[in-house]
Amino acid sequence: MMTAQEKNVEREEIKQQLYRYCHAVDRIDYELGRSVFAEGAVVDYGPTYQGDGKGYIDTMLKTQHKMMISTHHMVTNVLIEFNEDGTRAASEAYVSASCKYRTKTGKPSFTVEAHCRDIDQWEKRDGTWLIVKRVVAGDNTYIVRPEYLEDYNNSRGKKADPADQFFASLKD
């Protein structure tokens, strides 16, 4: 049986995995995105994708996110529960995502605002929490056609991102 302190530590590790997922899809980081899913993980993104987790990352980044000007994913209201021995968990996380599409000439066209819930089953394998099953509940998604402002400090899909540089500087 896990203590309350152990549960808090494990919850934080799962939250970090959720944050890594958001970082991966926003920065087009295939390796980091794949690292959140267990081998053979099952993913149900409704009409967008049905298949395995690593395939989801490959497909979504290559065919959608890489073609967008920018994406912005945020995770909040994360609920996490564990089985008795602490080797499996279930979570529900509220996700807000803004995905800015471009015209054929590269100009901003419209944004999809998605508000959904990522509902995950987790297993701890070799000391790492991994998603083994994900179902996305698309609660409120809509298209916006705003007047866009100029982007700044946007290094999406490039290694020159300021966040990458700041985190790398900690290794010096």
Side-chain angles (χ1 to χ4, degrees):
M1 185 114 170
M2 295 173 68
T3 67
Q5 185 175 3
E6 289 169 329
K7 286 181 182 179
N8 287 337
V9 168
E10 299 301 315
R11 277 189 183 98
E12 202 52 43
E13 288 182 18
I14 289 173
K15 286 181 188 177
Q16 287 296 314
Q17 286 290 73
L18 291 169
Y19 302 151
R20 285 182 188 102
Y21 167 80
C22 290
H23 183 88
V25 295
D26 286 341
R27 299 296 182 278
I28 315 296
D29 187 332
Y30 290 85
E31 184 177 334
L32 183 62
R34 288 183 201 114
S35 76
V36 175
F37 291 95
E39 202 63 47
V42 176
V43 172
D44 177 355
Y45 268 82
T48 306
Y49 180 86
Q50 305 271 328
D52 70 70
K54 294 175 193 261
Y56 166 75
I57 292 295
D58 293 345
T59 300
M60 191 58 64
L61 295 185
K62 183 179 180 184
T63 64
Q64 291 192 18
H65 285 142
K66 198 168 187 178
M67 304 303 163
M68 296 174 192
I69 292 172
S70 65
T71 61
H72 192 101
H73 290 73
M74 295 177 287
V75 176
T76 62
N77 300 356
V78 181
L79 298 174
I80 302 168
E81 297 293 334
F82 299 94
N83 69 337
E84 196 168 301
D85 69 0
T87 58
R88 293 182 300 120
S91 70
E92 176 187 51
Y94 283 61
V95 178
S96 292
S98 296
C99 301
K100 189 190 298 183
Y101 286 77
R102 69 179 91 221
T103 64
K104 290 180 181 177
T105 61
K107 301 278 188 217
S109 169
F110 63 91
T111 296
V112 171
E113 291 288 333
H115 302 282
C116 56
R117 292 172 294 127
D118 286 350
I119 304 164
D120 297 322
Q121 290 180 338
W122 299 83
E123 288 182 6
K124 193 163 190 179
R125 297 184 181 177
D126 297 323
T128 301
W129 284 102
L130 299 171
I131 297 169
V132 295
K133 185 172 185 179
R134 170 171 279 181
V135 175
V136 176
D139 297 329
N140 188 7
T141 301
Y142 51 93
I143 295 173
V144 180
R145 287 182 165 69
E147 181 178 332
Y148 289 97
L149 302 174
E150 193 66 36
D151 290 337
Y152 58 93
N153 291 335
N154 181 355
S155 305
R156 186 171 173 270
K158 302 173 188 146
K159 289 297 178 185
D161 188 84
D164 292 336
Q165 294 171 358
F166 286 11
F167 287 123
S169 74
L170 299 174
K171 295 176 184 172
D172 294 338

